[in-house]
Amino acid sequence: MDILFFKIAFLAYFLSTIGYIASILVRRVVIAKTSTWILFSAFAIHTIYITFRWVKTGYNPVTNLHESLSFIAWVISGSYLAFQMKTKTRILGSFVSPLAFMLMIVASAGLGKVVSIPVILQGWWVAIHTILSLAGESLFALACMAGIMYLIQDNLIKKKKSYRFSRLLPPLGDLDRINHICVLWGFPLLTLGIIAGSIWARTVWGSRWQCDPKQVCTVISWFLYAFLLHQRLAIGWKGKKAAVLSIFAFVILLFAVVGVETFFVTMHSF
Amino acid sequence: MSIILIGMNHKTAPLNIRERLSISCEDNDALKVIKSISQVREAMYIATCNRVEVLASVEDVEKGLEKLKTFIFSHGNLSRGEMKECLYVYRDVDAVRHLFRVASSLDSLVMGEPQILGQVKDAYRHSVEQKASGIILNKLLHRTFHVAKRIRTETGIANNAVSVSFAAVGLAKKIFGNLRDKTVLLIGAGEMSELAARHLLNNGVNRIIFANRTYENAVRLANDFHGVPVGFDLLEDKLKEVDIVISSTGAPGYIVSEEMIVKALHRHKNRLMFIIDIAVPRDVDPAVEEIDNVYLYNIDNLQEIVDENLRSRIEEAEKAEAIISEEIISFTNWLNTLEVVPTIVSLKRKSEKVIERELEKSLSWMRNLTEGEREKIRILASSIVNKILHDPITSLKEESQNSGADPYLAAVIRLFRLEKGE
C-alpha cells in the first residue's frame, strides 16, 4: 500500500518537473501554475507515504538511504510550496521540482526494502537526530539554491545583459528573503539535530564528541551558518555576501553528509 | 453581403491628412452619414490619432465602396489623387484580418500598446448606440475582442517595457520584488525623471524625496507628487534613507560620488540600491557600479533594454499573426454558414407546418387517447422529421464551410418547394 503512494508521488514529481521545464521553454505561466499544483499533490501523496512508513516501522521514519532521500525531497518541496504561497517565485519550482525528482529516483532504488535496523540506531534520540538534521539540511539546500539564483540574477543585472533570461528569475529581494528565511529556520533545526545526536552518542559511544571527520565538517559548517546569521541579523548583511556564504557553508555541509565517507574513515557512516 | 474596410493610418497617410479627416468627421457625426448610404447595411467608424477607418457590411461591394470613397474624399476636403495614395481598402477576409490586427495592436505605431483595444470598443459602442451594427458586425466585433484578449494573454506582445521610464520601473521590480516599502530619491527635474517617478508611485512606492539645487523647484515637485522636498545640502544625508535614486540634473560633473554611496550603504545596513542616471553628462560616478548590492543604470543602458524589448515584441507578433489566421478561419466559417441559415430555417418551418397539419387531421381518432398518449405521438412525429432533416442540414452547413453551398441550396429549395423568405 505505502509503495503505491510512493510510486504515485514519484510520478507526480516527474510530471511537475516536465511541466516546469516546459513552462520555461515555451514561457507560458499556465503550465507553470499547473506544475505547481501537480507538485502540491506530489507533496500531499508523499506526506501520506511518509506517514504510512512511520506507522509501519514504528518509531523512526528516517533510517536508511531510501528514507533519508525521500524525506529530503519532501522537506524541500514542502518549503518551496510554502514560499510559493508567500512570494511569486514560481521559477524556483523549476529548480526544486527536478531536484526532488532526482532524489526520488535515487530513493526509489531502496524502495520497499525492509532493512533490519542495527541496535545502535534504535531509539528516540536517533529518530529526532536524523529528522531534525535532515530537515535543517534540506532547508540549507534550498537556501543554497536561492543563493545560486541570486548570484546569477545579480550578475545579469550588473552586467546589463540578457534581460530575457533575467526576466525568468525572481527578483533579487525575494531570493535574498528566501535565502534568509531558509537559513533562519534551518539553523535551529540543525542545532537541535546536532544536540540530539550528541546526547545519543554519549549513550552509545560513551562521549558526546568523537572528533570524527563527519562531526568536524558538520560543526565547521554550523559555525559558518551561525556567522552568516549573526552578520545578517546584527550587521545587516544582505544580498551577495550572504548568498556566497550560504553556498559555501552548504558545500561543506554536503561534504559532511555525503562526501566524508569517500575520503576519511568515519564511525558515523550512515 | 460583404465586409469592407476602408481607411488610412500612420503608415499610409501623413499627419496633416489624417488630422483633417478625423476632425471633419467628428464635427458632423460621420456614422450617421455613412449609415445613410443606401448600399451600407452596417457600419462602424474608428478615429484615433493614428488612424481613421470605416468598417461596413455592404450589399454590393463595388457600389458601396465607390460611395464610401466619395464620402471620405468629401469629408477630408482633399483631392482624389492625394487621398488615393493614402487610402487602403480591404475586403472580406482581408478586412477581418486588418480589424483583428488593429484591435490586437499589431498595426499600432508602438506595437502592443494597450489603448487601441479600448478605442475599438468605444467605436463599436457608438455604432451599437446609433443602431448601425447588425448581425455581422456584432459577431465580428465580439470575435475581434476575443482575439485581442487571446493575443494579449497568449503572446508576450504587451509584455516588457518599451519606454525608458517603464524600463526603469521594470528593473526596480527585478531588483526589489515588491516596491511597497521603498523610498525614492529624485535628484534634479526633467520630463523623463518625473515620468519615472509617476510610474514608481503607481507601482506602490512608499515615498519620494525631491532634491533640487533650487529649493523652490523641489517644493513644487514635492507638492505635485505628495513627496518631501530637500535642498542639495542634505543630499548626502538623504542617500542613507533611500532604495532607488533617479538623477537627472544639468550639472557638468558628478553629483553622486562613490564615497557617498559607500557611506550611505554602510549606514543603510548594506541594503540593495538601484541608481538610475538619466543625465547627460552623467551625474553619478560610474565607479559606483563596482560596489556590491548597487545597480547603476544610465540612459544608454535603459535604451538598450527598450530596444531589446521592442525586438522581442516583433518576435511575439509572429505568434499573434498565427492566432489571427486561426481565428479568421473560424470566423469565415461562421460567415459562410450565414448564407445557408435562411434556407435551413424555412426548411424547418415547413416541416413543422406539415407535422401540425397532419396532427390536426388525426385529431378525430386521437380523441380516444389520453393527453399523455397524444403528447407521445406528437413527440414521435417531430423526432422522425428531425432525424430525416438532420443529415441534409448538416451537409448544407458543411458545404457552406467550403463555400460550395450554392448548388445544394438551389436543390434544397427546388426539391422541398421552399418559397424564398418563407
mmCIF file of all heavy atoms in Angstrom, chain A residues 90-125:
data_model
loop_
_atom_site.group_PDB
_atom_site.id
_atom_site.type_symbol
_atom_site.label_atom_id
_atom_site.label_comp_id
_atom_site.label_asym_id
_atom_site.label_seq_id
_atom_site.Cartn_x
_atom_site.Cartn_y
_atom_site.Cartn_z
ATOM 1 N N ARG A 90 7.701 31.447 -8.708
ATOM 2 C CA ARG A 90 7.395 30.187 -9.353
ATOM 3 C C ARG A 90 8.615 29.553 -10.005
ATOM 4 O O ARG A 90 8.749 28.345 -10.043
ATOM 5 C CB ARG A 90 6.319 30.405 -10.410
ATOM 6 C CG ARG A 90 5.326 29.293 -10.492
ATOM 7 C CD ARG A 90 4.205 29.682 -11.415
ATOM 8 N NE ARG A 90 3.221 30.522 -10.769
ATOM 9 C CZ ARG A 90 2.324 30.058 -9.916
ATOM 10 N NH1 ARG A 90 2.288 28.790 -9.617
ATOM 11 N NH2 ARG A 90 1.459 30.862 -9.365
ATOM 12 N N ILE A 91 9.523 30.401 -10.480
ATOM 13 C CA ILE A 91 10.679 29.870 -11.190
ATOM 14 C C ILE A 91 11.521 28.972 -10.278
ATOM 15 O O ILE A 91 12.158 28.032 -10.717
ATOM 16 C CB ILE A 91 11.523 31.025 -11.754
ATOM 17 C CG1 ILE A 91 12.622 30.508 -12.683
ATOM 18 C CG2 ILE A 91 12.132 31.850 -10.664
ATOM 19 C CD1 ILE A 91 12.141 30.090 -14.011
ATOM 20 N N LEU A 92 11.496 29.256 -8.991
ATOM 21 C CA LEU A 92 12.247 28.431 -8.040
ATOM 22 C C LEU A 92 11.781 26.982 -8.148
ATOM 23 O O LEU A 92 12.561 26.048 -7.960
ATOM 24 C CB LEU A 92 12.044 28.970 -6.626
ATOM 25 C CG LEU A 92 12.936 28.422 -5.516
ATOM 26 C CD1 LEU A 92 14.380 28.727 -5.806
ATOM 27 C CD2 LEU A 92 12.542 29.008 -4.177
ATOM 28 N N GLY A 93 10.518 26.817 -8.474
ATOM 29 C CA GLY A 93 9.961 25.477 -8.636
ATOM 30 C C GLY A 93 10.682 24.683 -9.706
ATOM 31 O O GLY A 93 10.846 23.469 -9.585
ATOM 32 N N SER A 94 11.157 25.367 -10.742
ATOM 33 C CA SER A 94 11.821 24.626 -11.814
ATOM 34 C C SER A 94 13.232 24.222 -11.393
ATOM 35 O O SER A 94 13.913 23.502 -12.107
ATOM 36 C CB SER A 94 11.845 25.442 -13.095
ATOM 37 O OG SER A 94 12.222 26.748 -12.819
ATOM 38 N N PHE A 95 13.689 24.688 -10.245
ATOM 39 C CA PHE A 95 14.924 24.166 -9.664
ATOM 40 C C PHE A 95 14.594 23.076 -8.636
ATOM 41 O O PHE A 95 15.232 22.044 -8.578
ATOM 42 C CB PHE A 95 15.713 25.282 -8.965
ATOM 43 C CG PHE A 95 16.430 26.200 -9.889
ATOM 44 C CD1 PHE A 95 15.721 27.027 -10.738
ATOM 45 C CD2 PHE A 95 17.810 26.230 -9.928
ATOM 46 C CE1 PHE A 95 16.376 27.883 -11.613
ATOM 47 C CE2 PHE A 95 18.478 27.084 -10.788
ATOM 48 C CZ PHE A 95 17.762 27.907 -11.630
ATOM 49 N N VAL A 96 13.561 23.358 -7.832
ATOM 50 C CA VAL A 96 13.213 22.458 -6.736
ATOM 51 C C VAL A 96 12.611 21.156 -7.248
ATOM 52 O O VAL A 96 12.986 20.069 -6.806
ATOM 53 C CB VAL A 96 12.233 23.157 -5.765
ATOM 54 C CG1 VAL A 96 11.642 22.166 -4.800
ATOM 55 C CG2 VAL A 96 12.950 24.261 -5.018
ATOM 56 N N SER A 97 11.682 21.291 -8.192
ATOM 57 C CA SER A 97 10.982 20.100 -8.668
ATOM 58 C C SER A 97 11.935 19.053 -9.263
ATOM 59 O O SER A 97 11.865 17.879 -8.902
ATOM 60 C CB SER A 97 9.902 20.514 -9.662
ATOM 61 O OG SER A 97 9.206 19.400 -10.096
ATOM 62 N N PRO A 98 12.856 19.437 -10.170
ATOM 63 C CA PRO A 98 13.798 18.438 -10.669
ATOM 64 C C PRO A 98 14.674 17.843 -9.561
ATOM 65 O O PRO A 98 14.963 16.648 -9.580
ATOM 66 C CB PRO A 98 14.661 19.218 -11.666
ATOM 67 C CG PRO A 98 13.878 20.401 -12.023
ATOM 68 C CD PRO A 98 13.041 20.726 -10.839
ATOM 69 N N LEU A 99 15.062 18.681 -8.612
ATOM 70 C CA LEU A 99 15.903 18.196 -7.515
ATOM 71 C C LEU A 99 15.146 17.134 -6.711
ATOM 72 O O LEU A 99 15.665 16.043 -6.443
ATOM 73 C CB LEU A 99 16.310 19.356 -6.605
ATOM 74 C CG LEU A 99 17.211 18.950 -5.440
ATOM 75 C CD1 LEU A 99 18.610 18.635 -5.926
ATOM 76 C CD2 LEU A 99 17.251 20.038 -4.376
ATOM 77 N N ALA A 100 13.908 17.452 -6.367
ATOM 78 C CA ALA A 100 13.091 16.497 -5.620
ATOM 79 C C ALA A 100 12.915 15.218 -6.427
ATOM 80 O O ALA A 100 13.005 14.108 -5.897
ATOM 81 C CB ALA A 100 11.728 17.109 -5.308
ATOM 82 N N PHE A 101 12.716 15.386 -7.725
ATOM 83 C CA PHE A 101 12.522 14.217 -8.579
ATOM 84 C C PHE A 101 13.774 13.345 -8.614
ATOM 85 O O PHE A 101 13.717 12.126 -8.494
ATOM 86 C CB PHE A 101 12.137 14.677 -9.988
ATOM 87 C CG PHE A 101 11.981 13.554 -10.959
ATOM 88 C CD1 PHE A 101 11.076 12.525 -10.703
ATOM 89 C CD2 PHE A 101 12.730 13.508 -12.124
ATOM 90 C CE1 PHE A 101 10.925 11.481 -11.583
ATOM 91 C CE2 PHE A 101 12.594 12.462 -13.013
ATOM 92 C CZ PHE A 101 11.684 11.446 -12.744
ATOM 93 N N MET A 102 14.942 13.997 -8.724
ATOM 94 C CA MET A 102 16.189 13.226 -8.757
ATOM 95 C C MET A 102 16.417 12.485 -7.441
ATOM 96 O O MET A 102 16.823 11.319 -7.437
ATOM 97 C CB MET A 102 17.365 14.156 -9.067
ATOM 98 C CG MET A 102 17.481 14.443 -10.549
ATOM 99 S SD MET A 102 18.991 15.297 -10.975
ATOM 100 C CE MET A 102 18.656 16.935 -10.402
ATOM 101 N N LEU A 103 16.125 13.164 -6.350
ATOM 102 C CA LEU A 103 16.238 12.496 -5.044
ATOM 103 C C LEU A 103 15.316 11.278 -4.993
ATOM 104 O O LEU A 103 15.684 10.229 -4.468
ATOM 105 C CB LEU A 103 15.864 13.476 -3.930
ATOM 106 C CG LEU A 103 16.881 14.571 -3.625
ATOM 107 C CD1 LEU A 103 16.271 15.649 -2.763
ATOM 108 C CD2 LEU A 103 18.106 13.976 -2.942
ATOM 109 N N MET A 104 14.142 11.436 -5.570
ATOM 110 C CA MET A 104 13.186 10.329 -5.570
ATOM 111 C C MET A 104 13.677 9.173 -6.434
ATOM 112 O O MET A 104 13.445 8.006 -6.124
ATOM 113 C CB MET A 104 11.817 10.812 -6.075
ATOM 114 C CG MET A 104 11.122 11.768 -5.140
ATOM 115 S SD MET A 104 10.606 11.012 -3.592
ATOM 116 C CE MET A 104 9.002 10.383 -4.019
ATOM 117 N N ILE A 105 14.360 9.502 -7.531
ATOM 118 C CA ILE A 105 14.902 8.432 -8.389
ATOM 119 C C ILE A 105 15.878 7.587 -7.581
ATOM 120 O O ILE A 105 15.787 6.351 -7.537
ATOM 121 C CB ILE A 105 15.636 9.020 -9.624
ATOM 122 C CG1 ILE A 105 14.646 9.710 -10.552
ATOM 123 C CG2 ILE A 105 16.373 7.913 -10.383
ATOM 124 C CD1 ILE A 105 15.298 10.351 -11.761
ATOM 125 N N VAL A 106 16.820 8.281 -6.929
ATOM 126 C CA VAL A 106 17.813 7.552 -6.144
ATOM 127 C C VAL A 106 17.121 6.811 -5.003
ATOM 128 O O VAL A 106 17.431 5.650 -4.712
ATOM 129 C CB VAL A 106 18.890 8.508 -5.596
ATOM 130 C CG1 VAL A 106 19.977 7.728 -4.893
ATOM 131 C CG2 VAL A 106 19.481 9.347 -6.720
ATOM 132 N N ALA A 107 16.133 7.491 -4.401
ATOM 133 C CA ALA A 107 15.432 6.878 -3.274
ATOM 134 C C ALA A 107 14.682 5.623 -3.711
ATOM 135 O O ALA A 107 14.579 4.647 -2.964
ATOM 136 C CB ALA A 107 14.450 7.878 -2.662
ATOM 137 N N SER A 108 14.189 5.632 -4.952
ATOM 138 C CA SER A 108 13.374 4.502 -5.392
ATOM 139 C C SER A 108 14.188 3.217 -5.487
ATOM 140 O O SER A 108 13.637 2.119 -5.512
ATOM 141 C CB SER A 108 12.715 4.818 -6.733
ATOM 142 O OG SER A 108 13.712 4.930 -7.706
ATOM 143 N N ALA A 109 15.536 3.349 -5.537
ATOM 144 C CA ALA A 109 16.383 2.159 -5.567
ATOM 145 C C ALA A 109 16.162 1.297 -4.318
ATOM 146 O O ALA A 109 16.179 0.071 -4.382
ATOM 147 C CB ALA A 109 17.853 2.564 -5.670
ATOM 148 N N GLY A 110 15.939 1.957 -3.189
ATOM 149 C CA GLY A 110 15.778 1.199 -1.943
ATOM 150 C C GLY A 110 14.322 1.015 -1.567
ATOM 151 O O GLY A 110 14.012 0.733 -0.414
ATOM 152 N N LEU A 111 13.451 1.188 -2.550
ATOM 153 C CA LEU A 111 12.025 1.150 -2.246
ATOM 154 C C LEU A 111 11.573 -0.229 -1.767
ATOM 155 O O LEU A 111 11.901 -1.250 -2.376
ATOM 156 C CB LEU A 111 11.229 1.543 -3.498
ATOM 157 C CG LEU A 111 9.715 1.519 -3.382
ATOM 158 C CD1 LEU A 111 9.234 2.546 -2.385
ATOM 159 C CD2 LEU A 111 9.087 1.777 -4.738
ATOM 160 N N GLY A 112 10.848 -0.229 -0.696
ATOM 161 C CA GLY A 112 10.215 -1.459 -0.233
ATOM 162 C C GLY A 112 11.127 -2.398 0.534
ATOM 163 O O GLY A 112 10.694 -3.396 1.078
ATOM 164 N N LYS A 113 12.429 -2.063 0.535
ATOM 165 C CA LYS A 113 13.333 -2.936 1.271
ATOM 166 C C LYS A 113 13.108 -2.741 2.769
ATOM 167 O O LYS A 113 13.077 -1.612 3.260
ATOM 168 C CB LYS A 113 14.784 -2.566 0.953
ATOM 169 C CG LYS A 113 15.352 -3.323 -0.235
ATOM 170 C CD LYS A 113 16.813 -2.976 -0.371
ATOM 171 C CE LYS A 113 17.227 -3.026 -1.841
ATOM 172 N NZ LYS A 113 18.415 -2.233 -2.080
ATOM 173 N N VAL A 114 12.948 -3.844 3.451
ATOM 174 C CA VAL A 114 12.835 -3.708 4.901
ATOM 175 C C VAL A 114 14.213 -3.984 5.478
ATOM 176 O O VAL A 114 14.721 -5.089 5.425
ATOM 177 C CB VAL A 114 11.801 -4.687 5.476
ATOM 178 C CG1 VAL A 114 11.701 -4.505 6.985
ATOM 179 C CG2 VAL A 114 10.453 -4.456 4.824
ATOM 180 N N VAL A 115 14.830 -2.904 5.927
ATOM 181 C CA VAL A 115 16.180 -3.038 6.461
ATOM 182 C C VAL A 115 16.067 -3.294 7.958
ATOM 183 O O VAL A 115 15.359 -2.588 8.661
ATOM 184 C CB VAL A 115 16.990 -1.744 6.217
ATOM 185 C CG1 VAL A 115 18.441 -1.946 6.616
ATOM 186 C CG2 VAL A 115 16.869 -1.317 4.775
ATOM 187 N N SER A 116 16.763 -4.296 8.388
ATOM 188 C CA SER A 116 16.766 -4.505 9.830
ATOM 189 C C SER A 116 17.695 -3.464 10.446
ATOM 190 O O SER A 116 18.855 -3.325 10.062
ATOM 191 C CB SER A 116 17.264 -5.918 10.152
ATOM 192 O OG SER A 116 18.549 -6.088 9.607
ATOM 193 N N ILE A 117 17.138 -2.684 11.313
ATOM 194 C CA ILE A 117 17.899 -1.575 11.881
ATOM 195 C C ILE A 117 18.835 -2.114 12.955
ATOM 196 O O ILE A 117 18.403 -2.831 13.859
ATOM 197 C CB ILE A 117 16.945 -0.550 12.502
ATOM 198 C CG1 ILE A 117 15.920 -0.125 11.449
ATOM 199 C CG2 ILE A 117 17.710 0.644 13.035
ATOM 200 C CD1 ILE A 117 14.704 0.544 12.026
ATOM 201 N N PRO A 118 20.122 -1.770 12.833
ATOM 202 C CA PRO A 118 21.036 -2.224 13.885
ATOM 203 C C PRO A 118 20.630 -1.637 15.240
ATOM 204 O O PRO A 118 20.037 -0.556 15.295
ATOM 205 C CB PRO A 118 22.391 -1.671 13.442
ATOM 206 C CG PRO A 118 22.120 -0.753 12.310
ATOM 207 C CD PRO A 118 20.782 -1.056 11.764
ATOM 208 N N VAL A 119 20.957 -2.348 16.249
ATOM 209 C CA VAL A 119 20.529 -1.940 17.601
ATOM 210 C C VAL A 119 21.007 -0.524 17.920
ATOM 211 O O VAL A 119 20.306 0.261 18.549
ATOM 212 C CB VAL A 119 21.098 -2.926 18.644
ATOM 213 C CG1 VAL A 119 20.556 -2.609 20.034
ATOM 214 C CG2 VAL A 119 20.754 -4.354 18.257
ATOM 215 N N ILE A 120 22.207 -0.225 17.390
ATOM 216 C CA ILE A 120 22.804 1.081 17.698
ATOM 217 C C ILE A 120 21.949 2.237 17.179
ATOM 218 O O ILE A 120 21.983 3.347 17.682
ATOM 219 C CB ILE A 120 24.235 1.124 17.106
ATOM 220 C CG1 ILE A 120 25.021 2.308 17.680
ATOM 221 C CG2 ILE A 120 24.189 1.197 15.604
ATOM 222 C CD1 ILE A 120 26.471 2.296 17.302
ATOM 223 N N LEU A 121 21.135 1.936 16.119
ATOM 224 C CA LEU A 121 20.322 3.003 15.518
ATOM 225 C C LEU A 121 18.883 2.980 16.001
ATOM 226 O O LEU A 121 18.002 3.564 15.370
ATOM 227 C CB LEU A 121 20.358 2.894 13.992
ATOM 228 C CG LEU A 121 21.689 3.228 13.337
ATOM 229 C CD1 LEU A 121 21.584 3.131 11.827
ATOM 230 C CD2 LEU A 121 22.173 4.600 13.749
ATOM 231 N N GLN A 122 18.629 2.258 17.060
ATOM 232 C CA GLN A 122 17.252 2.252 17.548
ATOM 233 C C GLN A 122 17.108 3.195 18.727
ATOM 234 O O GLN A 122 18.030 3.359 19.516
ATOM 235 C CB GLN A 122 16.840 0.827 17.968
ATOM 236 C CG GLN A 122 16.518 -0.030 16.751
ATOM 237 C CD GLN A 122 16.254 -1.472 17.115
ATOM 238 O OE1 GLN A 122 16.217 -1.822 18.286
ATOM 239 N NE2 GLN A 122 16.084 -2.296 16.106
ATOM 240 N N GLY A 123 15.962 3.809 18.805
ATOM 241 C CA GLY A 123 15.745 4.729 19.911
ATOM 242 C C GLY A 123 15.260 6.075 19.443
ATOM 243 O O GLY A 123 15.481 6.465 18.287
ATOM 244 N N TRP A 124 14.611 6.765 20.338
ATOM 245 C CA TRP A 124 14.020 8.055 20.002
ATOM 246 C C TRP A 124 15.051 9.092 19.622
ATOM 247 O O TRP A 124 14.835 9.911 18.738
ATOM 248 C CB TRP A 124 13.189 8.565 21.181
ATOM 249 C CG TRP A 124 11.822 7.963 21.142
ATOM 250 C CD1 TRP A 124 11.331 6.960 21.924
ATOM 251 C CD2 TRP A 124 10.776 8.320 20.241
ATOM 252 N NE1 TRP A 124 10.049 6.660 21.563
ATOM 253 C CE2 TRP A 124 9.671 7.487 20.527
ATOM 254 C CE3 TRP A 124 10.661 9.260 19.198
ATOM 255 C CZ2 TRP A 124 8.482 7.555 19.833
ATOM 256 C CZ3 TRP A 124 9.476 9.323 18.507
ATOM 257 C CH2 TRP A 124 8.400 8.482 18.826
ATOM 258 N N TRP A 125 16.182 9.087 20.297
ATOM 259 C CA TRP A 125 17.190 10.114 20.014
ATOM 260 C C TRP A 125 17.682 10.031 18.579
ATOM 261 O O TRP A 125 17.942 11.059 17.958
ATOM 262 C CB TRP A 125 18.362 10.001 20.993
ATOM 263 C CG TRP A 125 18.003 10.531 22.354
ATOM 264 C CD1 TRP A 125 17.995 9.829 23.526
ATOM 265 C CD2 TRP A 125 17.577 11.853 22.672
ATOM 266 N NE1 TRP A 125 17.591 10.622 24.560
ATOM 267 C CE2 TRP A 125 17.315 11.888 24.068
ATOM 268 C CE3 TRP A 125 17.364 13.018 21.931
ATOM 269 C CZ2 TRP A 125 16.883 13.024 24.720
ATOM 270 C CZ3 TRP A 125 16.938 14.154 22.578
ATOM 271 C CH2 TRP A 125 16.687 14.148 23.967
#
